[in-house]
Amino acid sequence: MTSLELNKLIHEPSRLKIIVQLYAVERTDFLYLKRQLGLTWGNLSVHLSKLEKAGYIEIKKSIVNKKTHTSVHLTSSGRITFEEYRKSLKRVLGET
Amino acid sequence: MTSLELNKLIHEPSRLKIIVQLYAVERTDFLYLKRQLGLTWGNLSVHLSKLEKAGYIEIKKSIVNKKTHTSVHLTSSGRITFEEYRKSLKRVLGET
DNA sequence: ATAGGAGCTTTATACTATAAAGCTTTGAAA
DNA sequence: TTTCAAAGCTTTATAGTATAAAGCTCCTAT
C-alpha cells in the first residue's frame, strides 16, 4: 500500500495541471498559466507558493516593460517527483 | 479546459482506490476494503457514504454469522463515471 | 493629482478529510 | 446473570486546505 501513496501536493487538480504544463515546456509565466488553466490570481498565486515551498518549482520575478513579470520553471526535484507521482498513479489505476 | 475537469469525488486518493477495486471485482465488503486500503473504520465509512450518496456505489447490509456484514458494489453510473474520470485524467496528463 | 488597470499577495471563509468518541450487538467469563 | 471485551460500524469534532474576496504596489493616461 505504501507504493500506492499519491503525493497530495501534486495530486490536487490545479497543481497537477501546472506541473504537467511545466513538464512539457520547462518554463512559462504566471499569466500564461492563469489563462491556460482558468484560475484566478489568488488561486494561482497560492498554488505556486506551495509548489515553490516544496522545491518543485522555481519562481523568478523580473521587470519587463516596466511591469513585473513572474516566470516559473520546474526544478529537477519537481520533475523527478512528478515522474514518481505518475508511476504511483499508474499503480493505483492498475489494470483498469 | 472543461474537458480537463477531474471529478473530485473520485479523484480523492482513498475513494479512487475504492472505485478501482470495485471496478475490478464488482462486489466486495467493508472489511476487505478496510484491510486492503489501510483505512480506519471512520474514514472508510465516510468515504463509502459519499460514494453512495453520489449514486456511484450501492451498500447492502446483511447479517452473516449473527454479525452485520456490509457489502459494496459499483453501480453502472459509478462505472461510467469512473471511465469518464479516467479519460479526463489521461487528457490532463497528455503526452507526459 | 488622481483614476484606473496590470500584476500579483494576503486574509477570510467555506469545505473536506482524518481522527476520536460513541453506539449496538454478540459471545464468553466471573 | 451481569459484566467485560470485541466486532463492526456511525457520528461528531478538529484540523487542514482550496477558493474567493479584499488589498497592495507600480505604472500610465488624463
Side-chain angles (χ1 to χ4, degrees):
Chain A
M1 195 49 53
T2 332
S3 68
L4 293 182
E5 281 325 312
L6 294 171
N7 185 322
K8 290 190 78 177
L9 232 145
I10 293 187
H11 193 62
E12 197 287 325
S14 294
R15 289 193 298 259
L16 179 56
K17 289 169 196 165
I18 291 169
I19 298 265
V20 164
Q21 178 64 25
L22 287 172
Y23 193 82
V25 306
E26 182 66 20
R27 175 173 295 284
T28 188
D29 59 42
F30 196 101
L31 274 178
Y32 181 81
L33 283 174
K34 180 181 177 303
R35 289 190 199 111
Q36 192 73 2
L37 308 184
L39 299 175
T40 62
W41 293 112
N43 201 195
L44 180 53
S45 178
V46 172
H47 285 316
L48 290 182
S49 298
K50 292 196 178 176
L51 291 173
E52 185 187 31
K53 207 170 182 180
Y56 297 163
I57 64 171
E58 206 177 67
I59 301 181
K60 273 186 190 165
K61 278 155 197 304
S62 57
I63 306 290
V64 177
N65 296 333
K66 303 216 175 175
K67 289 175 186 172
T68 63
H69 180 260
T70 303
S71 83
V72 190
H73 100 110
L74 198 63
T75 63
S76 65
S77 158
R79 179 167 292 268
I80 289 166
T81 308
F82 172 63
E83 284 161 357
E84 279 163 2
Y85 165 82
R86 237 180 14 195
K87 278 185 205 159
S88 301
L89 192 60
K90 272 199 182 128
R91 277 194 293 265
V92 166
L93 290 177
E95 299 307 314
T96 62
Chain B
M1 195 51 52
T2 331
S3 69
L4 292 182
E5 283 323 312
L6 294 171
N7 184 321
K8 292 190 78 176
L9 231 145
I10 293 187
H11 192 61
E12 196 287 324
S14 295
R15 289 192 297 259
L16 178 56
K17 290 169 197 166
I18 290 168
I19 299 265
V20 165
Q21 177 65 25
L22 287 173
Y23 193 82
V25 306
E26 182 66 20
R27 175 174 294 283
T28 188
D29 58 43
F30 195 101
L31 275 178
Y32 181 80
L33 284 173
K34 179 180 178 301
R35 289 189 198 110
Q36 193 73 2
L37 307 184
L39 299 175
T40 61
W41 292 112
N43 201 194
L44 181 53
S45 177
V46 172
H47 284 315
L48 290 181
S49 298
K50 291 195 176 175
L51 291 172
E52 185 187 31
K53 208 169 180 181
Y56 297 163
I57 63 170
E58 205 177 66
I59 300 181
K60 273 187 191 165
K61 279 155 197 304
S62 56
I63 306 289
V64 178
N65 296 334
K66 303 211 173 178
K67 289 174 185 174
T68 63
H69 180 260
T70 302
S71 85
V72 189
H73 100 112
L74 197 62
T75 63
S76 65
S77 158
R79 177 167 293 269
I80 288 165
T81 307
F82 172 63
E83 283 161 357
E84 279 164 0
Y85 165 81
R86 238 179 14 192
K87 278 185 204 160
S88 301
L89 192 60
K90 272 198 182 130
R91 277 194 292 266
V92 166
L93 291 177
E95 299 306 315
T96 62

